[in-house]
Amino acid sequence: MPSQEMKMWFSSFAVSLCLSMLVSAADKKSKDVKADDTNKPSYELAQPVTENLDYTMYQRIRDEGLAHSHVMEFASGLMDGIGPRLTGSPNLKRANEWTRDQFAAMGCSNAHLEDWGEFGMGWRQLNTWVRMSEPDTAVFIAQALPWSASSKGPVHGRAVWVNAKDEKELEKYKGKLEGKIVFFGEMREVKPVDKPLFERRDESNLKQTAEYPVHVGEQEDFFQTFIKRLEFREKAGQFFVAEHAAGIVVPSRDGRNNGGSGGTIFDDGGGGMGWFTYRREHAEGLPIVVMAIENYGRVYRLLKANVPVTVEMDVETEFTGDHEHGFDTIAQIPGTDPKLKDEVVMLGGHLDSWASATGATDNGAGTVVAMEVMRILNALHVQPRRTIRVGLWTGEEQGEFGSYGYVKQHFGYVPLSTAPDQLKLPDFLRKPAGAVQVKPEQQKISGYFNLDNGTGKIRGVYLQENASVAPIFQQWIAPLQDLGVSTLTMRNTGGTDHEAFDSVGVPGFQFIQDMLDYGSRTHHSNMDTYERLQADDLAQAAVVEAIFVYNTAMRDLMLPREPLPRPELEEQRKAPLKQVMPGAEAAAEEMKKPEN
């Protein structure tokens, strides 16, 4: 037997050998993990508990954006100098080129326009007037609906109110509309404006916004109702053309807190004879105007009392082509970190607007804030680790075409159904036909920040159900509490361009803003002008967005993201469970038997 010393030596050797083997195995495992991690996008890695914030840069951005703001100069150049920017119009082309040149002048690189595809007809309003000549004379507040046909000079005729909600009810007007001015639409109640049209979010409202709404069960599909209404309106428009009416007048809808009165008219695609009126095959066949509700009401009441009314109208419009393309304005500040410069953080808003005003709050505000963000960062000569890229989208008002087109070209897309019934719908309502198709660049974008809820200052962020980003943003907004930024909500918000990014798994965020008079008076209205912009709020928004963009560009890891969406499984996931109710399956089989 070995001696005691030998036993101790062997024991020590065995322990050392085991430890060395363990250390070697651990080291190998660590190397394997690191090697495995290097193959992963950084958004899949564990996020740091504490954000490494550059408070000096916070202060520099605040000073440049608040004490030396140029946001209202951009606003006047866009809204006053160019004006309304309907998709496909000559003015939108001017806006694309102007924003591209502004980005280049402030120091951005690769400022250019990207074609997202064919849109439809180019159109602009040159002049519109409507008046009553009998039984009294009156000048009415009215404008042409977008893509209205021209009246080719003044036309006049007896007014007829058409009260029809379906095709069967239209038949009673057959043979009665030739040469007439058709008033088409219900006369709504015009309530007093007994609440402020201009409102800021208070603590109660922010608290409610932060609470995630839980709803189990089917929700009403407002879009389907909207589309069915427009399908009938297109058939009604075809009926009026076939009956040789001279023109169409529709009433303006209402706004929040009864704001759709007092000369404010809302003039967008929802008031026309169909959704796709920007396409030649669905074009408006008659001149059509939207009228202030008080003016519409006077004619309506006279006709209800069987008093003959004669209306004159002149709708002077111009079409500039049937196959106009849409373009996005793109520019960037290149990244400088050798390992991260190919990664991107994006910001933006939509450049297009409706045609009755100058598109100031919708969405000139988001556009000029994005421009000011890029100006601030260029003025400070930032050296971002990741590339900072701005996108100003077009075609948003007709279905977010510009942002979805850009995302499809760069990051991915959801295949859409081509079934005949689906092709009749706008893209945003068509069913998915398969899984998300992802492009390599999708792994290289950290996040996208959007501003498109008017001119109000930023109060927080909609997280789009991305819980993993909440502790990050919470640290980012802590130094911004004195600017009114305090609220994060898990809620989704929709109706604008961050949805394009979100649809392919890229973190896309819309900021929470003060409402002001956006929903009550300016959204899609003839009052959406420079005067409705709030300079202090826009300067604050630019500072906040610049800080979010800078932080995203500088952090070690990309922002965490949710799992890739599976829209093609949505119907299956919502389908009722089988064999849940005891006896139900057997009863159903029994009912199938011939004797039943």
Side-chain angles (χ1 to χ4, degrees):
M1 293 182 67
S3 65
Q4 188 67 25
E5 290 79 2
M6 286 290 288
K7 286 182 179 180
M8 291 179 65
W9 184 86
F10 274 116
S11 177
S12 298
F13 176 76
V15 170
S16 298
L17 182 63
C18 287
L19 285 173
S20 65
M21 290 174 67
L22 286 170
V23 169
S24 176
D27 185 57
K28 183 177 184 300
K29 184 177 180 182
S30 175
K31 288 179 179 178
D32 288 344
V33 168
K34 287 180 180 178
D36 185 51
D37 283 351
T38 59
N39 294 326
K40 286 183 177 181
S42 65
Y43 53 76
E44 292 187 1
L45 304 180
Q47 297 287 328
V49 174
T50 303
E51 289 291 294
N52 183 21
L53 301 180
D54 184 346
Y55 294 108
T56 300
M57 185 55 73
Y58 267 70
Q59 183 54 42
R60 293 182 67 202
I61 289 173
R62 287 172 67 125
D63 178 66
E64 180 62 34
L66 300 179
H68 307 96
S69 175
H70 293 275
V71 70
M72 297 307 287
E73 294 172 50
F74 290 136
S76 186
L78 183 61
M79 267 58 80
D80 298 331
I82 296 175
R85 304 169 301 281
L86 191 69
T87 301
S89 70
N91 269 15
L92 186 55
K93 180 177 184 292
R94 289 179 63 203
N96 273 131
E97 294 168 350
W98 178 81
T99 51
R100 176 199 62 197
D101 295 345
Q102 290 297 315
F103 284 130
M106 70 178 65
C108 292
S109 68
N110 196 27
H112 66 284
L113 305 183
E114 290 198 20
D115 187 337
W116 50 259
E118 183 176 315
F119 169 69
M121 295 187 293
W123 180 92
R124 62 176 175 170
Q125 175 177 229
L126 301 177
N127 184 34
T128 296
W129 58 260
V130 184
R131 63 186 291 267
M132 180 170 69
S133 55
E134 291 179 354
D136 186 20
T137 58
V139 177
F140 291 150
I141 298 172
Q143 286 204 42
L145 271 159
W147 297 285
S148 166
S150 174
S151 63
K152 300 177 181 178
V155 295
H156 71 278
R158 285 293 179 89
V160 176
W161 179 57
V162 172
N163 181 22
K165 298 181 180 63
D166 55 41
E167 291 180 79
K168 184 177 180 181
E169 291 183 345
L170 283 174
E171 289 300 314
K172 63 187 176 184
Y173 297 97
K174 199 168 183 64
K176 300 177 181 179
L177 300 180
E178 184 169 359
K180 302 295 195 302
I181 306 295
V182 172
F183 278 64
F184 186 54
E186 289 287 336
M187 177 59 199
R188 60 179 170 83
E189 182 182 1
V190 182
K191 298 179 180 179
V193 179
D194 56 357
K195 296 179 181 178
L197 299 183
F198 188 98
E199 292 181 305
R200 292 195 180 275
R201 294 179 183 269
D202 57 19
E203 289 305 311
S204 174
N205 179 274
L206 290 171
K207 182 179 179 182
Q208 183 182 25
T209 301
E211 293 176 353
Y212 187 82
V214 177
H215 177 87
V216 178
E218 290 294 321
Q219 297 190 17
E220 183 179 353
D221 193 334
F222 294 103
F223 279 123
Q224 290 297 336
T225 303
F226 176 69
I227 291 300
K228 286 179 181 178
R229 171 179 167 270
L230 285 177
E231 286 177 347
F232 165 64
R233 290 179 72 86
E234 182 164 8
K235 292 174 181 176
Q238 294 167 352
F239 177 82
F240 299 150
V241 171
E243 293 297 306
H244 306 289
I248 304 171
V249 178
V250 298
S252 174
R253 62 173 172 82
D254 203 0
R256 180 176 54 82
N257 291 351
N258 308 316
S261 61
T264 296
I265 59 174
F266 296 97
D267 188 8
D268 56 30
M273 298 293 108
W275 181 260
F276 297 111
T277 54
Y278 53 85
R279 297 178 184 171
R280 177 55 64 190
E281 62 271 24
H282 295 276
E284 300 280 11
L286 295 171
I288 177 171
V289 301
V290 60
M291 183 178 285
I293 193 62
E294 294 89 345
N295 298 152
Y296 189 91
R298 184 178 183 187
V299 175
Y300 169 84
R301 289 185 293 275
L302 288 168
L303 294 176
K304 290 283 283 185
N306 297 316
V307 176
V309 177
T310 300
V311 170
E312 299 176 12
M313 61 193 296
D314 187 2
V315 180
E316 188 179 352
T317 62
E318 180 181 68
F319 290 86
T320 57
D322 287 354
H323 305 284
E324 299 294 333
H325 277 233
F327 295 85
D328 299 320
T329 305
I330 308 295
Q332 63 188 32
I333 301 173
T336 59
D337 188 309
K339 294 182 179 179
L340 302 180
K341 64 182 181 180
D342 291 336
E343 295 177 359
V344 178
V345 52
M346 292 194 68
L347 70 152
H350 72 87
L351 183 58
D352 63 303
S353 76
W354 290 104
S356 61
T358 58
T361 67
D362 187 24
N363 184 30
T367 291
V368 299
V369 165
M371 295 175 72
E372 176 71 354
V373 168
M374 299 301 279
R375 188 203 65 79
I376 290 170
L377 297 176
N378 275 294
L380 297 177
H381 303 291
V382 298
Q383 299 291 308
R385 300 175 71 188
R386 292 179 179 84
T387 294
I388 297 172
R389 184 177 300 159
V390 62
L392 301 180
W393 321 114
T394 63
E396 190 272 353
E397 296 292 3
Q398 291 73 47
E400 301 170 20
F401 292 143
S403 54
Y404 271 96
Y406 183 87
V407 166
K408 183 176 183 178
Q409 291 175 24
H410 292 271
F411 306 126
Y413 64 96
V414 178
L416 299 178
S417 171
T418 56
D421 65 318
Q422 293 293 300
L423 290 175
K424 296 178 181 178
L425 301 175
D427 286 357
F428 61 88
L429 291 179
R430 285 166 61 189
K431 293 179 180 179
V436 175
Q437 303 297 300
V438 173
K439 295 194 171 184
E441 285 182 70
Q442 192 259 12
Q443 291 191 351
K444 294 293 187 178
I445 176 169
S446 181
Y448 169 76
F449 298 97
N450 196 75
L451 196 77
D452 182 22
N453 284 156
T455 182
K457 68 181 179 181
I458 290 174
R459 307 302 303 276
V461 187
Y462 292 98
L463 300 179
Q464 298 297 120
E465 300 184 339
N466 185 349
S468 55
V469 84
I472 297 169
F473 287 178
Q474 193 66 60
Q475 294 175 67
W476 291 8
I477 67 175
L480 302 174
Q481 298 278 332
D482 62 323
L483 294 180
V485 188
S486 62
T487 304
L488 300 177
T489 178
M490 282 285 288
R491 291 174 186 248
N492 285 311
T493 187
T496 192
D497 294 295
H498 68 286
E499 292 180 306
F501 294 83
D502 208 44
S503 71
V504 297
V506 174
F509 304 103
Q510 168 77 10
F511 290 103
I512 302 168
Q513 293 175 259
D514 273 338
M515 297 174 287
L516 308 187
D517 53 358
Y518 186 61
S520 61
R521 183 163 58 171
T522 69
H523 181 247
H524 297 186
S525 87
N526 62 328
M527 296 294 171
D528 193 10
T529 62
Y530 176 94
E531 286 74 16
R532 302 275 71 80
L533 295 174
Q534 302 300 312
D536 292 347
D537 286 23
L538 294 178
Q540 182 264 16
V543 165
V544 174
E545 187 166 35
I547 287 170
F548 268 74
V549 167
Y550 180 81
N551 286 347
T552 308
M554 297 302 291
R555 68 195 309 270
D556 291 335
L557 305 182
M558 285 192 280
L559 294 176
R561 55 180 65 179
E562 298 174 89
L564 197 66
R566 298 298 304 271
E568 79 281 7
L569 300 180
E570 196 64 20
E571 286 192 2
Q572 176 183 328
R573 294 171 69 184
K574 288 181 177 179
L577 297 175
K578 295 180 179 180
Q579 298 180 346
V580 173
M581 181 62 69
E585 296 288 328
E589 290 299 319
E590 185 68 23
M591 291 298 295
K592 292 179 183 178
K593 293 180 179 180
E595 59 270 22
N596 293 316

